Amino acid sequence: MAESMPEDIVVDILLRLPAKSLVRFKCVCKRWRSLISDRAFAKSHLQRLKAGDLIPSQRFIISGCNGSLKTVDYEALDDGGGEGRMVVPHGIKPLWEPRIVGSCDGLVCLLGPSNFVIYNPTTRECIELPGPNFVDRVRLSGVSGFGYDSQSDDYKLVADASSSSDGNWKLAIFSLKSGSWRSIEVPFQEEFNELTGQGVYWKGALHWHVYVLCMYDKREGVIMSFDLLEEKFHEVLPVPVPEVDEDICLLGLGIHGANLFIYNCTHDRRIEGWITDEYGRGASWTKLFSVDCSAIINLDRDFEQTPLAYTSSGKIVIWMDTKRMIMFNPKDNTCKDYLLGTDLVREYAIYLETLVSPYLDGGAVE
Amino acid sequence: MSSSPPPSSAAASPSCPKKMIALRSSDGETFEIEEAAALQSKTLENMIDEDCAGTPIPLPNVTGKILAKVVEFCSKHAEPGVDDESLRAWDAEFVNVEQATVFDYILAANFLEIPTLLNLTCNVVADMIRGKTPDEIRKFFNIKSIFSPEEEEEVRRENHWAFE
């Protein structure tokens, strides 16, 4: 009965499971271990994941000042899963305060003291990238990002390689497929003045929020993107305009499921979040939430609290400071505190639990 | 090929009875199914197209007990005017059976190529197993694990953190 289950049906069933379960099931038998480690299987699994609801597979990875990396499963917390399951430490080689560059398809790109690292927190596969030979150390203070180029079926890492502020701007691009770096020159544009930090990967491009000057000396918020296929910057989406622009003290981009997510926080502690799934100038934004957090966030401190996620039960995960995050319930204005551990946490990225391997060739483990 | 007019796949008119297809299970039971319902199965669809739907179609891989339920499933899914939510609720009840029966449904859906039933039952099994330990999985699928002692040690070491 069970022995007569054809293998293609077993594969069909396995492809429906979350990556976390599949990693455990590598121990079941040789055949399953080989199947689950196979690169084509990982690709099919990712495709199925993307065809459905991504949110159950979404997690945060946070990096602490002593080199610790941890995963936060915020939906499990919301379900009352208990704090013991919240923060799962990663045992990878200690990097001194790994900087988080970005994440795509379940791969997280980190910068250690001397190298970039591509890491899958779900399978714990990790590779160190060779450094580029044309700059001593690529600066992470400029723009950076990590994402997927579907046309060349390649993952690319982008980093600022400019050495001086001359007319043109230099970007270093690493291709995971070829295992090598190249640099490109980007003709400078006025908007690039404000362009900095890690870009958010979404739909084949990296995205940053910037303010540009438009008519009558007004500032307009737009989203700039760096297309990983064309390797060019575009001004893409106008941002949803809040009621009073001067009130905004914090604004940023993130990911919510398959959508690009933008949040803004005002001086009186109102936090708004919007999402879009459309690409391009005509795209419309849907308001995900608009809440008054003055009951729980001090008015006398600088507002640096970032909304990270919106849970399926309608709670907002807010990163408060280097030691803790809270889950705010706008329905009754209550919140729950969660400690992030003893390390001061400075960086985070949202990622998907997948089986995608940073070893693009190869596939099977041994 | 016979010289009769081509089989109608359109809805039957009031004056013309719906075309019924006869199926015979492995243990000799005969079942009748409306053509519209039978078309849910790619296997049956091919047989109907080739006009061999005259005599009861023998299905040696499916017992009467299971075939009865498969006919019920296909008939329900061919029913006009059923809204998505009711159908989903009906499907949930349909698969609310013991594990061995779900496996039988899977094998029947695979043999008869019924994508809706295959999808439904595979999802059920996936939900059943996602939280299981490797040992429970082996019992569930009746798998013999044949790692050598060295491989067993390596696999255990490699994945110990997955069980935290």
Side-chain angles (χ1 to χ4, degrees):
Chain A
M1 188 225 331
E3 307 94 323
S4 60
M5 188 80 74
E7 186 170 277
D8 57 340
I9 295 190
V10 173
V11 171
D12 193 333
I13 294 172
L14 290 180
L15 284 173
R16 293 159 199 264
L17 295 172
K20 246 258 174 76
S21 303
L22 290 170
V23 167
R24 273 207 323 274
F25 295 169
K26 278 190 190 181
C27 306
V28 167
C29 64
K30 257 193 210 178
R31 185 62 196 132
W32 279 36
R33 184 169 188 231
S34 160
L35 252 174
I36 293 169
S37 310
D38 178 56
R39 190 197 161 196
F41 182 86
K43 201 159 190 173
S44 301
H45 182 263
L46 179 66
Q47 274 161 1
R48 281 226 195 182
L49 203 61
K50 287 181 170 177
D53 183 12
L54 289 177
I55 297 204
S57 305
Q58 244 176 358
R59 306 282 182 269
F60 282 109
I61 189 163
I62 57 179
S63 83
C65 60
N66 287 328
S68 66
L69 276 179
K70 294 175 190 164
T71 284
V72 177
D73 181 350
Y74 56 90
E75 287 282 357
L77 281 184
D78 197 18
D79 280 346
E83 271 166 65
R85 294 299 303 140
M86 158 173 148
V87 208
V88 181
H90 292 269
I92 63 170
K93 184 170 107 176
L95 305 173
W96 184 76
E97 190 164 8
R99 304 291 309 280
I100 298 179
V101 175
S103 104
C104 170
D105 289 352
L107 295 174
V108 177
C109 179
L110 308 164
L111 176 62
S114 52
N115 296 75
F116 285 96
V117 165
I118 309 286
Y119 177 56
N120 183 324
T122 312
T123 63
R124 305 225 168 170
E125 283 185 299
C126 180
I127 58 170
E128 263 186 56
L129 305 185
N133 57 14
F134 46 83
V135 283
D136 287 338
R137 182 188 152 87
V138 173
R139 298 183 305 139
L140 209 53
S141 50
V143 297
S144 62
F146 177 72
Y148 179 68
D149 167 11
S150 55
Q151 197 178 78
S152 45
D153 189 26
D154 193 9
Y155 290 95
K156 292 180 176 172
L157 161 60
V158 177
D160 196 322
S162 310
S163 44
S164 61
S165 49
D166 53 11
N168 269 340
W169 192 24
K170 209 167 163 191
L171 286 181
I173 299 184
F174 182 82
S175 141
L176 201 59
K177 212 170 187 176
S178 68
S180 60
W181 290 89
R182 347 183 297 274
S183 69
I184 62 168
E185 296 217 336
V186 180
F188 192 79
Q189 285 167 234
E190 191 62 45
E191 294 85 357
F192 293 170
N193 268 326
E194 303 237 11
L195 201 55
T196 185
Q198 290 88 324
V200 172
Y201 172 76
W202 183 64
K203 292 205 186 199
L206 302 172
H207 297 78
W208 295 263
H209 173 268
V210 288
Y211 282 108
V212 294
L213 276 179
C214 52
M215 289 193 299
Y216 315 118
D217 260 359
K218 284 195 74 187
R219 278 190 338 161
E220 185 189 38
V222 293
I223 293 176
M224 290 210 70
S225 74
F226 181 75
D227 186 291
L228 289 169
L229 166 56
E230 297 173 358
E231 294 180 355
K232 284 208 176 89
F233 279 97
H234 297 288
E235 191 185 295
V236 178
L237 300 160
V239 302
V241 179
E243 270 124 47
V244 188
D245 192 81
E246 293 82 47
D247 263 352
I248 299 214
C249 54
L250 185 66
L251 202 149
L253 294 177
I255 292 287
H256 176 77
N259 301 307
L260 188 62
F261 168 68
I262 190 170
Y263 60 86
N264 64 69
C265 310
T266 58
H267 285 291
D268 58 358
R269 304 302 184 253
R270 172 156 284 274
I271 303 183
E272 289 191 335
W274 303 72
I275 52 172
T276 187
D277 63 356
E278 300 157 13
Y279 204 82
R281 276 242 135 225
S284 58
W285 292 87
T286 308
K287 192 183 270 193
L288 200 55
F289 57 82
S290 175
V291 295
D292 178 1
C293 297
S294 50
I296 48 149
I297 299 176
N298 269 324
L299 287 167
D300 57 359
R301 294 172 55 192
D302 277 340
F303 195 175
E304 284 165 5
Q305 291 82 1
T306 309
L308 302 178
Y310 186 67
T311 73
S312 27
S313 72
K315 300 199 187 74
I316 301 162
V317 180
I318 302 177
W319 184 20
M320 296 300 284
D321 54 39
T322 54
K323 287 201 168 240
R324 64 194 177 100
M325 64 175 226
I326 62 170
M327 203 160 315
F328 176 64
N329 187 349
K331 294 184 188 127
D332 58 9
N333 269 341
T334 58
C335 71
K336 267 181 113 174
D337 243 39
Y338 296 97
L339 288 176
L340 297 171
T342 49
D343 262 3
L344 299 181
V345 172
R346 285 194 230 278
E347 298 202 330
Y348 69 92
I350 203 161
Y351 74 94
L352 277 181
E353 293 200 321
T354 72
L355 297 172
V356 175
S357 171
Y359 301 94
L360 283 197
D361 52 10
V365 176
E366 267 86 63
Chain B
M1 283 300 232
S2 69
S3 54
S4 55
S8 158
S9 55
S13 59
S15 56
C16 178
K18 288 206 178 125
K19 184 162 179 201
M20 302 297 282
I21 313 285
L23 309 170
R24 186 187 295 131
S25 69
S26 61
D27 43 2
E29 275 188 76
T30 312
F31 299 87
E32 287 221 312
I33 182 174
E34 277 182 31
E35 188 183 27
L39 293 177
Q40 304 262 325
S41 152
K42 288 198 173 45
T43 309
L44 293 180
E45 186 184 2
N46 291 338
M47 288 177 161
I48 292 167
D49 275 350
E50 284 168 26
D51 209 30
C52 27
T55 55
I57 299 176
L59 301 174
N61 293 21
V62 193
T63 64
K65 172 178 161 230
I66 300 299
L67 188 52
K69 296 298 283 178
V70 171
V71 167
E72 194 186 321
F73 179 88
C74 292
S75 304
K76 182 69 182 180
H77 278 248
E79 235 178 72
V82 182
D83 65 284
D84 280 349
E85 211 181 304
S86 319
L87 194 57
R88 261 203 299 273
W90 190 91
D91 281 350
E93 256 315 293
F94 185 82
V95 288
N96 189 13
V97 292
E98 54 174 45
Q99 172 208 319
T101 312
V102 179
F103 275 31
D104 286 334
Y105 288 167
I106 290 183
L107 293 172
N110 187 46
F111 171 66
L112 289 168
E113 289 185 81
I114 308 171
T116 40
L117 183 57
L118 193 58
N119 192 44
L120 177 66
T121 46
C122 283
N123 274 340
V124 167
V125 175
D127 283 339
M128 276 178 186
I129 67 173
R130 59 194 281 158
K132 288 192 189 300
T133 64
D135 226 17
E136 289 166 338
I137 294 286
R138 286 184 209 118
K139 277 202 192 68
F140 190 87
F141 286 102
N142 206 10
I143 296 174
K144 303 280 182 286
S145 168
I146 39 172
F147 284 119
S148 70
E150 298 83 27
E151 282 168 330
E152 178 97 40
E153 172 56 42
E154 188 187 335
V155 170
R156 212 183 284 271
R157 200 178 7 100
E158 213 175 71
N159 294 296
H160 72 95
W161 45 264
F163 296 84
E164 279 159 20

